[in-house]
Amino acid sequence: MTTNKILVNGLRFWAHHGCMEEEAIVGQEYRVDVALWVNLAPSAETDDLSKTVDYEDVYRIVRREMGVRSKLVEQVCQRIVNALRNELPLSESVEVKVTKFQPPINGDCDHIAVVMQG
């Protein structure tokens, strides 16, 4: 794995994930952070966007996967990892963090997060 990394952090979405029926109806706020390990030497040398990962592509992929309802944040996170790996061939590895704000638990909790790599 190369040591070069691109971070695309703080992607915000209103989505309808969760086990409770109310979550499917009302939805809630999510944040997605993405790290991509990419060989940046070719793009740094040539100033050519086609030789790196386009941030707009990252956003488009994450937005699409966040729009597919799942009961578990784990499934959402894994789908995003898989899609980024399959659709961004220049990424040697990815890490995705999906944060769910104010989860419906019987207590005070600001957020939960799931982090997966691939």
Side-chain angles (χ1 to χ4, degrees):
M1 179 167 45
T2 186
T3 57
N4 303 146
K5 187 170 19 175
I6 294 174
L7 302 173
V8 183
N9 292 327
L11 301 175
R12 291 182 176 84
F13 302 93
W14 191 265
H16 299 267
H17 309 300
C19 293
M20 299 175 65
E21 189 60 32
E22 181 178 322
E23 293 175 292
I25 296 167
V26 176
Q28 61 204 89
E29 180 185 3
Y30 289 82
R31 184 181 68 223
V32 179
D33 300 311
V34 176
L36 305 111
W37 282 263
V38 180
N39 180 358
L40 297 177
S43 60
E45 292 171 7
T46 63
D47 201 26
D48 183 348
L49 179 60
S50 70
K51 297 186 184 307
T52 190
V53 172
D54 188 334
Y55 317 141
E56 180 65 27
D57 290 338
V58 173
Y59 179 79
R60 176 186 49 78
I61 292 165
V62 173
R63 181 184 66 210
R64 182 190 68 219
E65 296 304 325
M66 287 298 293
V68 177
R69 174 156 163 63
S70 292
K71 291 181 181 176
L72 300 178
V73 176
E74 291 88 332
Q75 186 184 62
V76 177
C77 195
Q78 187 64 62
R79 266 201 332 269
I80 294 170
V81 167
N82 293 345
L84 290 169
R85 290 288 289 137
N86 291 334
E87 297 177 45
L88 302 175
L90 294 178
S91 1
E92 298 170 10
S93 182
V94 302
E95 180 178 279
V96 174
K97 177 180 176 183
V98 177
T99 302
K100 177 178 185 173
F101 291 92
Q102 299 175 342
I105 63 173
N106 191 19
D108 187 14
C109 179
D110 181 68
H111 66 274
I112 61 93
V114 171
V115 179
M116 293 183 158
Q117 297 177 334

